[in-house]
Amino acid sequence: MTKIVLVEDDLEMQKLICEYLDNYGYQVKNFDNAKDALSAIKRDDFDMAIIDLMLPDMDGFDLCKMIKEIKDLPIIISSARGDIGNKIMGYEIGVDDFLSKPYEPRELILKIKAILKRVQASAATKVGKLEINGLNRTVTVDGFVTELTKVELEILLYLIKQRGSAVSREQLINATSLDADTKSRVIDMHISNLRYKIGDNPKTPKYIKSVWGIGYRFL
């Protein structure tokens, strides 16, 4: 499950964002100050940060710089300070995206998905006899290259990231570029195609195992 750290001192806004992200299957750890957020980032392994600029104990830009010193974590700035100057400053220090308040929560979800896709695509992954190159969407199986579709690659990378844990079809929908209203059977179709391309027999799986009543697990 994707873990997000949220730093927002507007408690009403904080609650709204947490509830919305939770509905999309994201695990959120929320804070109203920079100090506690930094401590959590040092302890835990997060996938992304959402930062407000106007915090009680530190400017949001300074917090972003400190986060980047700890870990190259993708960051979305969520702030009422949405003028071009603040946006440029954010991008200059390595912020991935900027949302000017007020905004529709759905826009935040789309930006999160887009950033996670870029992060996944930039990483090369090797598991057993599988070698995955996210940049050209290819997988090498026992030395033979097979091309995956965009969604198939997203599914494979997410399953590998959650290796050993059962992943629901809803989680897979949220972790990919598929529309949120996509039916579960569409995921099953993509899994079937993915298995065929990587030479995985569902009856005796080497990589992707069906988990009855839940979804799938990468072995």
Side-chain angles (χ1 to χ4, degrees), residues 48-109:
M48 180 178 293
I50 301 172
I51 309 294
D52 181 27
L53 291 182
M54 294 183 288
L55 299 172
D57 57 341
M58 184 185 299
D59 183 79
F61 286 131
D62 291 332
L63 174 58
C64 291
K65 292 176 185 177
M66 295 179 72
I67 290 174
K68 289 293 185 179
E69 290 175 359
I70 298 170
K71 181 181 179 181
D72 189 17
L73 201 64
I75 297 175
I76 296 175
I77 287 180
S78 163
S79 176
R81 287 161 49 182
D83 59 273
I84 188 64
N86 279 300
K87 289 184 178 181
I88 291 173
M89 185 179 297
Y91 292 132
E92 285 179 343
I93 65 174
V95 168
D96 294 81
D97 217 326
F98 203 112
L99 271 172
S100 300
K101 295 178 182 176
Y103 57 84
E104 287 294 327
R106 176 63 176 158
E107 186 180 0
L108 175 60
I109 297 296

Side-chain angles (χ1 to χ4, degrees), residues 35-184:
K35 181 180 177 182
D36 291 341
L38 283 170
S39 296
I41 291 169
K42 290 176 182 177
R43 292 193 312 267
D44 299 331
D45 187 20
F46 291 99
D47 300 293
M48 180 178 293
I50 301 172
I51 309 294
D52 181 27
L53 291 182
M54 294 183 288
L55 299 172
D57 57 341
M58 184 185 299
D59 183 79
F61 286 131
D62 291 332
L63 174 58
C64 291
K65 292 176 185 177
M66 295 179 72
I67 290 174
K68 289 293 185 179
E69 290 175 359
I70 298 170
K71 181 181 179 181
D72 189 17
L73 201 64
I75 297 175
I76 296 175
I77 287 180
S78 163
S79 176
R81 287 161 49 182
D83 59 273
I84 188 64
N86 279 300
K87 289 184 178 181
I88 291 173
M89 185 179 297
Y91 292 132
E92 285 179 343
I93 65 174
V95 168
D96 294 81
D97 217 326
F98 203 112
L99 271 172
S100 300
K101 295 178 182 176
Y103 57 84
E104 287 294 327
R106 176 63 176 158
E107 186 180 0
L108 175 60
I109 297 296
L110 293 174
K111 288 185 179 293
I112 289 173
K113 284 190 173 186
I115 291 171
L116 291 177
K117 280 163 51 184
R118 291 201 298 268
V119 171
Q120 290 173 345
S122 65
T125 307
K126 183 174 181 180
V127 180
K129 295 181 179 180
L130 287 178
E131 290 189 35
I132 301 99
N133 186 316
L135 294 177
N136 57 21
R137 301 202 304 272
T138 60
V139 172
T140 301
V141 186
D142 290 336
F144 295 92
V145 176
T146 181
E147 289 192 12
L148 301 184
T149 67
K150 182 180 180 181
V151 172
E152 288 164 1
L153 178 63
E154 291 170 345
I155 289 173
L156 180 59
L157 289 173
Y158 187 77
L159 287 172
I160 291 173
K161 183 178 180 181
Q162 305 297 328
R163 189 175 186 177
S165 301
V167 175
S168 70
R169 292 169 178 83
E170 182 181 357
Q171 284 178 275
L172 288 172
I173 291 171
N174 290 333
T176 66
S177 53
L178 290 169
D179 188 84
D181 298 326
T182 299
K183 302 297 183 183
S184 295

